Amino acid sequence: MTLSAPLVQFLASVHPYDSLERPALDALAAQCVETAYSGGQTVFNTGEVVDSLFIVVSGEIEITDDAGVQLSLLGPRNSFGERALLREDAASRTATAISDATLIRMPSAVLFELMNASPKVARFFDRRRPARADRKDLTTLRVEELMTRNPLTCAPETAIREAAARMHDKRISSICIVDEAGMQGILTVRDMNGKVVAQNADTGAPVSTIMTASPLTLGPDALGTDVLHLMMERGIGHVPIVEGKALVGIVTQTDLTRVQALSSGVLVGRISQAKDAAAMARVTAEIPQLLAQLVGSGNRQDVITRLITDIADTVTRRLLALAEDSLGPAPVPYLWLACGSQGRQEQTGVSDQDNCLILSDDASEADIAYFNRLATFVSDGLDACGYFYCPGDMMATNPRWCQPLHVWRSYFDGWIAKPNPEAQMLASVMFDLRPIGGEHGLYEDLLTDTLAKASKNSIFTAHMISNSIKHMPPLGLLRGLATIRSGEHRNHLDLKHNGVLPIVDLGRIYALQGRLKPVNTRARLEAAQKAGLLSKSGGADLLDAYDLIATLRLEHQAKQIKAGHKPDNFLDPSELSDFERSHLRDAFVVVKTMQSSVSSGKGALG
């Protein structure tokens, strides 16, 4: 039967249909059907053709995978069935009413017509983020991406000498004058020279007597070119950024120069010429600003993390070269490898160091002593550059992880033969190894042999799968987001351990099962899809989910950086729009589905 007036009102309260004008909503309602299901009745089974989108009006719907594992429990205003419709595949899940339920059935043709007519509805059902230009110049960057937040300020009655002292202490060229009414003026070093020094003015006088009153300003939504043109036309070097009457930032000529010069290539070039760790640390201090700029410019998450990791790789290789300059040439061939996020080329704004050394089997005890000194030199330098010592001591400075090749072979053989909890943990870390500097041939055969042995050992693989699902996506009942319950990050989502790492773990399992050599998570998923370990639709779902979660993580960190805070991985979901929360939940459901498929031994081909 057609929808009743109360159900039209209900539909109007459900996102994204709440964005429709009333005539469009009435037309949509006229094409939908209200259907009742009794408790225990199946809506559709895995493998069936789904011809409608379902919206829960009342009751509860359980979604399970083909192993019978519950993926989510849906209540009023939740929808389901769109995966099969949009992928044009048979259903990969089963939907069952666990209590008497009323559903709205929206035929697929009606949904597709609505998506074509309404961009907002289309965006809602497309988990992929819209592509944005990868340009990183002043023509595309908004002022809020360029400006320095929390600029130095003082009151109009502040003495000139005190304002000058503050500017000197902060090593900046301007101070903004504000009071309760908002922005009143600006005082620059040029003002000090021209109005105080040159004219021998009284430095005890208030800054209001020499400030530039009512300076030219822009809003945070202006473009970088607006700032540049204003500076060029008016001959100024500082543009305060105001929102309403409030001062929110400032852009200087130095900021514009930095944006035009700041790129991963520039930083890599400066690091490669650095004379010591201190010089490199001055360069790596610019990484947070680079990350925020890359995010603001709309780069893909895997591009951003690759560029950030390239800088860490360059720092490592430069430190290795400096170590050999200091200690003398290496006595035998060696290979420095990274694991963890650097190994996977997935570094963000929060990274410690995870590394090891593989030495030639010709290494003597005296040679190992040399490499212990080399490891200390490099790890200390990495720490000075912001890549902090690993809390778990997974570093080449630990004698356990600075060994000849035959010892490394025995490590991997032992982990595979006896996969106890420690072996599972170590194998998870060491299967993400990537050569950084030295003789790469020391690792190639080891990788090939280890993948072959690991993939053949079903007990080891089963233990690795069990270990991998310890990181679970944060899903609660009724398809809600399960936040951290206590502590410093209460009511937040951990986008690392419960967001990205479950997918990292899945990628590692696929690599083991398929003997795939890529270490980067996205590359592993693509290789697994190509090798047939992941179906076309399953792989596309997981890649979309990974991109969305990883992108949200980077956007969260970029927002913290721009606010002057240290970046972390803890997101308050209340900061997300309804659109973002809905699709983040969908992404977590995809991850949980894949975990269930892998743990049941059925893969992800269904």
Side-chain angles (χ1 to χ4, degrees):
M1 63 184 169
T2 57
L3 291 170
S4 62
L7 288 180
V8 174
Q9 296 173 6
F10 172 83
L11 193 61
S13 71
V14 179
H15 190 68
Y17 316 107
D18 55 357
S19 65
L20 299 176
E21 298 292 338
R22 186 54 188 259
L25 186 62
D26 289 341
L28 172 64
Q31 300 178 79
C32 295
V33 184
E34 179 184 0
T35 305
Y37 289 83
S38 57
Q41 185 176 354
T42 299
V43 181
F44 58 74
N45 278 309
T46 299
E48 289 185 6
V49 175
V50 177
D51 61 0
S52 299
L53 174 74
F54 298 86
I55 306 170
V56 183
V57 178
S58 63
E60 292 182 331
I61 302 295
E62 182 184 48
I63 306 297
T64 57
D65 64 11
D66 56 2
V69 176
Q70 184 188 85
L71 299 176
S72 56
L73 188 63
L74 309 183
R77 293 182 173 80
N78 290 153
S79 61
F80 60 97
E82 65 268 22
R83 291 179 75 253
L85 289 178
L86 299 178
R87 294 292 185 200
E88 298 181 350
D89 289 335
S92 57
R93 305 168 184 177
T94 294
T96 306
I98 63 172
S99 63
D100 291 348
T102 299
L103 305 181
I104 295 173
R105 295 178 61 112
M106 184 184 301
S108 58
V110 174
L111 174 63
F112 295 146
E113 181 180 354
L114 180 60
M115 290 174 65
N116 288 330
S118 172
K120 290 184 178 180
V121 175
R123 283 197 303 271
F124 180 83
F125 287 106
D126 185 358
R127 281 192 304 275
R128 296 167 297 179
R129 292 296 182 88
R132 292 181 288 177
D134 286 347
R135 296 174 63 184
K136 299 177 284 297
D137 58 30
L138 297 180
T139 63
T140 57
L141 286 173
R142 296 204 305 173
V143 163
E144 65 178 357
E145 307 290 342
L146 309 174
M147 68 185 188
T148 299
R149 296 175 184 269
N150 302 314
L152 185 64
T153 63
C154 69
E157 62 271 17
T158 304
I160 294 171
R161 70 168 65 93
E162 182 181 342
R166 293 186 192 178
M167 292 164 62
H168 178 268
D169 291 344
K170 296 292 185 179
R171 297 183 178 181
I172 58 177
S173 59
S174 66
I175 187 168
C176 295
I177 292 82
V178 299
D179 61 15
E180 294 180 356
M183 177 82 179
Q184 299 301 318
I186 187 170
L187 186 62
T188 68
V189 169
R190 186 166 66 177
D191 294 326
M192 291 286 189
N193 291 333
K195 299 178 181 179
V196 180
V197 178
Q199 298 180 22
N200 196 26
D202 178 11
T203 59
V207 292
S208 58
T209 60
I210 63 168
M211 71 181 184
T212 299
S214 302
L216 296 168
T217 64
L218 288 172
D221 57 347
L223 295 177
T225 47
D226 296 331
V227 180
L228 177 62
H229 295 164
L230 187 61
M231 288 181 174
M232 296 296 290
E233 181 181 355
R234 301 300 181 91
I236 57 177
H238 304 77
V239 178
I241 308 303
V242 298
E243 194 164 23
K245 294 183 178 180
L247 175 70
V248 295
I250 191 168
V251 179
T252 68
Q253 288 180 334
T254 302
D255 294 323
L256 297 187
T257 301
R258 185 193 69 243
V259 168
Q260 292 174 308
L262 185 61
S263 70
S264 59
V266 170
L267 298 191
V268 164
R270 289 165 58 191
I271 290 168
S272 67
Q273 300 299 316
K275 301 299 183 183
D276 53 31
M280 281 182 270
R282 289 191 289 272
V283 181
T284 56
E286 300 179 40
I287 290 177
Q289 183 61 40
L290 174 63
L291 184 144
Q293 182 175 309
L294 291 170
V295 172
S297 300
N299 291 277
R300 280 179 20 177
Q301 62 87 13
D302 54 317
V303 172
I304 295 172
T305 55
R306 172 63 181 271
L307 294 175
I308 297 299
T309 306
D310 284 349
I311 297 171
D313 292 354
T314 304
V315 170
T316 305
R317 284 190 287 267
R318 183 58 181 155
L319 286 168
L320 287 169
L322 292 174
E324 291 196 36
D325 288 344
S326 175
L327 303 174
V332 296
Y334 72 92
L335 178 62
W336 183 283
L337 303 98
C339 47
S341 60
Q342 184 183 0
R344 298 189 303 272
Q345 295 177 299
E346 293 165 8
Q347 286 189 317
T348 66
V350 185
S351 297
D352 58 6
Q353 56 174 292
D354 299 278
N355 45 60
C356 63
L357 273 168
I358 297 178
L359 314 179
S360 166
D361 281 334
D362 295 331
S364 64
E365 287 297 322
D367 295 336
I368 292 178
Y370 168 92
F371 288 109
N372 288 335
R373 294 193 297 273
L374 179 139
T376 298
F377 185 102
V378 176
S379 288
D380 287 350
L382 288 170
D383 181 72
C385 291
Y387 304 101
F388 305 115
Y389 299 121
C390 173
D393 204 18
M394 303 291 291
M395 298 185 298
T397 51
N398 183 338
R400 188 179 185 184
W401 311 127
C402 178
Q403 292 291 336
L405 178 59
H406 73 274
V407 176
W408 278 99
R409 287 189 180 278
S410 69
Y411 285 163
F412 280 100
D413 288 347
W415 296 333
I416 294 170
K418 298 179 179 180
N420 56 43
E422 182 190 33
Q424 295 170 36
M425 183 273 291
L426 292 174
S428 294
V429 174
M430 294 304 177
F431 273 113
D432 291 349
L433 286 174
R434 181 173 60 87
I436 303 297
E439 180 52 59
H440 287 218
L442 287 171
Y443 183 60
E444 185 61 32
D445 289 343
L446 176 61
L447 173 62
T448 301
D449 294 345
T450 299
L451 286 174
K453 293 175 182 176
S455 63
K456 292 177 181 178
N457 189 318
S458 59
I459 296 177
F460 172 76
T461 302
H463 277 280
M464 288 293 289
I465 290 173
S466 176
N467 186 65
S468 73
I469 59 175
K470 291 179 180 178
H471 295 126
M472 297 293 290
L475 287 170
L477 294 178
L478 298 179
R479 212 183 182 192
L481 296 174
T483 58
I484 298 169
R485 295 183 178 181
S486 61
E488 179 185 359
H489 303 294
R490 183 172 179 268
N491 296 328
H492 286 65
L493 298 171
D494 186 340
L495 291 181
K496 177 181 178 180
H497 290 97
N498 302 117
V500 171
L501 282 188
I503 307 174
V504 170
D505 292 336
L506 284 171
R508 188 182 300 114
I509 294 301
Y510 297 138
L512 289 176
Q513 292 176 333
R515 305 186 190 182
L516 308 174
K517 291 187 176 181
V519 179
N520 174 265
T521 298
R522 204 176 200 286
R524 279 173 166 170
L525 298 180
E526 291 173 343
Q529 193 177 25
K530 185 176 181 180
L533 296 169
L534 276 166
S535 68
K536 181 179 178 181
S537 61
D541 277 346
L542 193 53
L543 284 166
D544 284 352
Y546 180 51
D547 286 340
L548 188 145
I549 297 168
T551 298
L552 273 180
R553 180 191 184 197
L554 287 173
E555 289 176 347
H556 166 68
Q557 292 186 359
K559 182 178 179 180
Q560 291 179 306
I561 291 166
K562 287 184 288 185
H565 302 147
K566 185 177 180 180
D568 62 28
N569 296 298
F570 301 99
L571 173 70
D572 182 351
S574 67
E575 297 177 1
L576 301 176
S577 66
D578 288 343
F579 171 85
E580 290 172 318
R581 279 195 298 272
S582 176
H583 289 289
L584 183 58
R585 286 193 297 267
D586 286 345
F588 288 146
V589 168
V590 168
V591 177
K592 188 173 181 180
T593 301
M594 294 302 184
Q595 287 182 323
S596 177
S597 296
V598 169
S599 64
S600 68
K602 296 184 179 182
L605 295 173

